[in-house]
Amino acid sequence: MEKKLINQVAIVTGGSSGIGEGISKSLALAGATVIVNHPVATTKDAAEAVVASIVATGGKSISYQCDVSKEDQVIKMFADVVAQFGTVDILINNAGLQRDAKFHEMTLAQWQLVIDVNLTGQFLCAREAIKEFLRRGVDETRSQAAGKIIHVSSVHEIIPWAGHANYASSKGAIRMLMQTLAQEYGRNKIRVNSICPGAIQTPINTNAWNTPEAYNSLMTLIPYNRIGQPKDIGNLAVFLSSDDSDYITGASIFIDGGMTTFESFSTGG
Ligand code: NAD
């Protein structure tokens, strides 16, 4: 792969599995130094395995434990990364989780945890990234932009999702967060975009693909007739992080095999 992100430093939140793992590996192949963030002591081994596979292919990477929903931990992560690597060029706001329930049975704890990680976590990391981008400004030996933020949202930023009101609300809010940041900091040459995946084969949605029945049912939603892979998202993350996309900011890019074309309308409606 062409080294389009050479000399750039990327933080990937929730980088120890699934989409975050795929993005970490793709950014590293494109030349970035990748900080593979993970939340707790029990995710350290998985994060270290991602780091090891990056290093094995000649890339640069470290793991970093930080719960993105905790302000003090996020501030410390950015300070430590800047101290060790000089700056941060790319933030991939990927960490996320689900706590599914019928809405009338949803507990405040289920609502709050999803909002805290999926939305407040993206706010906290974006804020620290933007402070650093503003401090450094544009350095054209690195990139035409002062910094790039990529929010990992979902098709559920526009598709309502019964039984997942907390999750869909968090992703809908990310759309406005992303667009507002793009508007507010465009003049500072900071680019902010969202990747909106459809169904990607990761641990978050195992029961949607791990039996033939589940997989076939999933395919009724996807015109392109395959589940997505973390590498599909990694390829897009490299593009959005590189100067190839220098005129793209404020965009939600759907990467979903056509899910948002509403497959069920293909035979009627
Ligand atoms: P995943 O469960 O493999 O990844 C989520 C990651 O977030 C895990 O590595 C987990 O350790 C980390 N995480 C959770 N809480 C955290 C916290 N407080 N601080 C730091 N990290 C934390 O699932 P995934 O599918 O790879 O999900 C990644 C992102 O993609 C999520 O934001 C998810 O909403 C989004 N997404 C996934 C799909 C899909 O089909 N897989 C579709 C649309 C959007």
Side-chain angles (χ1 to χ4, degrees):
M1 185 187 276
E2 202 182 332
K3 305 278 186 202
K4 297 194 169 188
L5 303 177
I6 202 88
N7 294 332
Q8 297 195 51
V9 178
I11 294 179
V12 181
T13 70
S16 66
S17 64
I19 289 173
E21 176 178 353
I23 292 176
S24 295
K25 291 176 176 172
S26 296
L27 295 183
L29 280 176
T33 298
V34 179
I35 287 69
V36 178
N37 159 254
H38 67 99
V40 287
T42 52
T43 45
K44 185 172 184 357
D45 286 352
E48 284 296 331
V50 176
V51 168
S53 99
I54 288 173
V55 171
T57 54
K60 288 185 231 135
S61 182
I62 61 161
S63 70
Y64 195 101
Q65 183 180 326
C66 160
D67 178 337
V68 297
S69 69
K70 302 284 190 288
E71 184 175 32
D72 56 340
Q73 294 185 29
V74 171
I75 290 172
K76 185 169 185 325
M77 175 170 69
F78 277 80
D80 287 348
V81 170
V82 171
Q84 186 170 349
F85 297 101
T87 191
V88 176
D89 301 273
I90 299 158
L91 166 65
I92 310 289
N93 247 337
N94 166 76
L97 45 72
Q98 292 179 212
R99 290 294 180 271
D100 308 332
K102 288 274 183 205
F103 183 70
H104 65 281
E105 294 168 352
M106 188 174 285
T107 65
L108 179 58
Q110 288 172 320
W111 171 268
Q112 197 64 54
L113 179 64
V114 171
I115 297 299
D116 283 351
V117 174
N118 295 16
L119 181 59
T120 306
Q122 295 216 8
F123 153 70
L124 290 170
C125 291
R127 189 186 64 184
E128 295 314 300
I130 287 175
K131 283 182 196 165
E132 173 57 18
F133 300 160
L134 292 174
R135 182 197 67 77
R136 173 174 35 75
V138 176
D139 170 356
E140 290 202 352
T141 66
R142 311 176 77 83
S143 172
Q144 292 169 46
K148 285 85 53 163
I149 295 175
I150 297 167
H151 298 277
V152 178
S153 178
S154 167
V155 290
H156 296 296
E157 77 167 42
I158 59 164
I159 302 179
W161 202 13
H164 306 75
N166 46 3
Y167 183 86
S169 299
S170 73
K171 298 300 187 181
I174 285 170
R175 184 183 183 92
M176 271 297 125
L177 174 65
M178 177 277 291
Q179 289 186 304
T180 301
L181 297 185
Q183 185 193 64
E184 193 165 340
Y185 295 102
R187 69 194 62 238
N188 302 103
K189 303 288 280 178
I190 294 169
R191 295 196 295 112
V192 189
N193 293 291
S194 288
I195 291 176
C196 303
I200 310 300
Q201 191 166 7
T202 76
I204 211 172
N205 57 4
T206 307
N207 58 9
W209 49 261
N210 70 346
T211 64
E213 298 72 33
Y215 190 85
N216 290 337
S217 168
L218 182 64
M219 287 310 110
T220 65
L221 301 174
I222 303 174
Y224 204 60
N225 211 36
R226 74 163 170 87
I227 195 166
Q229 296 300 327
K231 191 169 187 303
D232 293 312
I233 310 297
N235 290 338
L236 178 56
V238 168
F239 172 68
L240 285 176
S241 299
S242 79
D243 286 347
D244 286 349
S245 61
D246 190 57
Y247 206 49
I248 301 179
T249 192
S252 285
I253 301 186
F254 290 83
I255 174 162
D256 63 0
M259 186 183 270
T260 40
T261 67
F262 300 101
E263 167 78 345
S264 54
F265 278 84
S266 65
T267 53

